[in-house]
Amino acid sequence: MKNPSSRGLFITLEGIDGAGKSSQFSALVETLRGLGREVVATREPGGTPLGERLREMVLNEAMSTSTEALLVFAARQEHVLHVIEPALLRGQDVVCDRFTDATLAYQGAGKGIPRDRLEALAHWVHPGLEPDLTVLLDLPAETAARRMREQGRQGDRFEREPEEFFGRVRRQYLELAREQPRRWRVVDATRSLEQVREDVIQNLKKFLEL
Ligand SMILES: Nc1ncnc2c1ncn2[C@@H]1O[C@H](COP(=O)(O)OP(=O)(O)O)[C@@H](O)[C@H]1O
Ligand SMILES: [Mg+2]
């Protein structure tokens, strides 16, 4: 059996649209690299050529909610098989902008697919694979919506959902964090970019026991 300590760390970043994931992603990646670790930086849906094509469809084309969930997991299957697992086995860390928790929050709580159905797909697509650390950038849906308006972001299918949708997604994320406090770190994302960045880095360092 492989020595588990030679495996890389799987770290995910979660939060509703406009929470600051894209803005804070580099804090995780650069901190790890600064410590001399090799990092694969990736995102979902996407992360492979086929996965990125599926991402385009999921974000932009009208489809039923179950089709959406199945396409997200199809993209995830490619990502896990061709990017995430091989990197972890090589001993590289993987930092991923969103993973299965986002599906539980968006397609589950947001759009109403029963959680056990999504968990069955997760078990099929990545049995035994779960992030070692998940950072949740938490903020009210209203604040996130204001940020995106200020940025003048056109908005994909998800970003155009009403504020109540993001309220449900946020509550599900917080519930997941409560269920697994050892894996999750909840960061108050209402603060300035600099303050949030500092908190993300501190949480990562504490996790690494530095
Ligand atoms: N802490 C912050 N304070 C103010 N604006 C922020 C903060 N974090 C992100 N933003 C802005 O909010 C918008 C959404 O951020 P982004 O990182 O794209 O979020 P996400 O990737 O989670 O959707 C961007 O215009 C970004 O510059
Ligand atoms: Mg983003």
Side-chain angles (χ1 to χ4, degrees):
M1 217 171 76
K2 206 173 155 59
N3 170 10
S5 68
S6 69
R7 208 178 145 92
L9 292 170
F10 183 25
I11 298 177
T12 57
L13 190 55
E14 297 284 357
I16 61 175
D17 289 271
K21 294 178 303 300
S22 299
S23 310
Q24 301 296 342
F25 189 72
S26 65
L28 293 169
V29 174
E30 284 167 16
T31 301
L32 291 164
R33 287 189 180 145
L35 293 164
R37 304 178 69 97
E38 278 187 50
V39 181
V40 171
T42 187
R43 69 166 179 186
E44 289 213 343
T48 65
L50 176 54
E52 289 291 329
R53 288 168 67 193
L54 291 167
R55 176 191 180 93
E56 281 304 307
M57 292 184 213
V58 167
L59 295 191
N60 299 305
E61 287 188 32
M63 63 182 72
S64 75
T65 303
S66 41
T67 303
E68 178 183 305
L70 291 165
L71 288 182
V72 167
F73 271 108
R76 180 163 298 137
Q77 183 70 88
E78 290 297 300
H79 199 204
V80 167
L81 289 175
H82 300 303
V83 177
I84 298 177
E85 280 286 7
L88 295 173
L89 287 171
R90 284 192 300 268
Q92 296 172 319
D93 296 334
V94 174
V95 179
C96 193
D97 183 336
R98 296 195 186 286
F99 192 61
T100 292
D101 298 305
T103 315
L104 297 180
Y106 278 73
Q107 282 73 39
K111 298 202 172 176
I113 298 185
R115 181 167 167 181
D116 58 353
R117 237 175 253 183
L118 297 173
E119 284 174 339
L121 289 171
H123 182 68
W124 181 21
V125 166
H126 53 87
L129 176 68
E130 180 170 81
D132 298 294
L133 173 70
T134 299
V135 176
L136 173 60
L137 299 179
D138 179 58
L139 81 179
E142 190 192 335
T143 314
R146 183 168 358 102
R147 283 183 186 172
M148 302 219 298
R149 267 200 309 278
E150 282 166 4
Q151 189 196 25
R153 196 141 105 185
Q154 184 63 66
D156 57 38
R157 277 177 71 225
F158 294 91
E159 293 167 350
R160 290 194 298 267
E161 289 282 352
E163 224 166 271
E164 307 84 72
F165 174 86
F166 289 104
R168 291 196 298 280
V169 174
R170 180 196 189 195
R171 283 193 294 280
Q172 179 66 72
Y173 271 135
L174 288 169
E175 173 58 24
L176 292 168
R178 266 193 299 274
E179 288 173 13
Q180 285 187 294
R182 282 162 56 90
R183 167 159 75 96
W184 290 76
R185 302 291 181 280
V186 181
V187 167
D188 172 5
T190 61
R191 298 167 298 165
S192 73
L193 276 165
E194 253 329 296
Q195 286 171 312
V196 176
R197 187 180 176 88
E198 195 47 44
D199 201 351
V200 168
I201 292 171
Q202 285 314 314
N203 271 292
L204 173 61
K205 287 188 167 168
K206 230 182 283 169
F207 171 77
L208 296 168
E209 295 177 340
L210 293 174

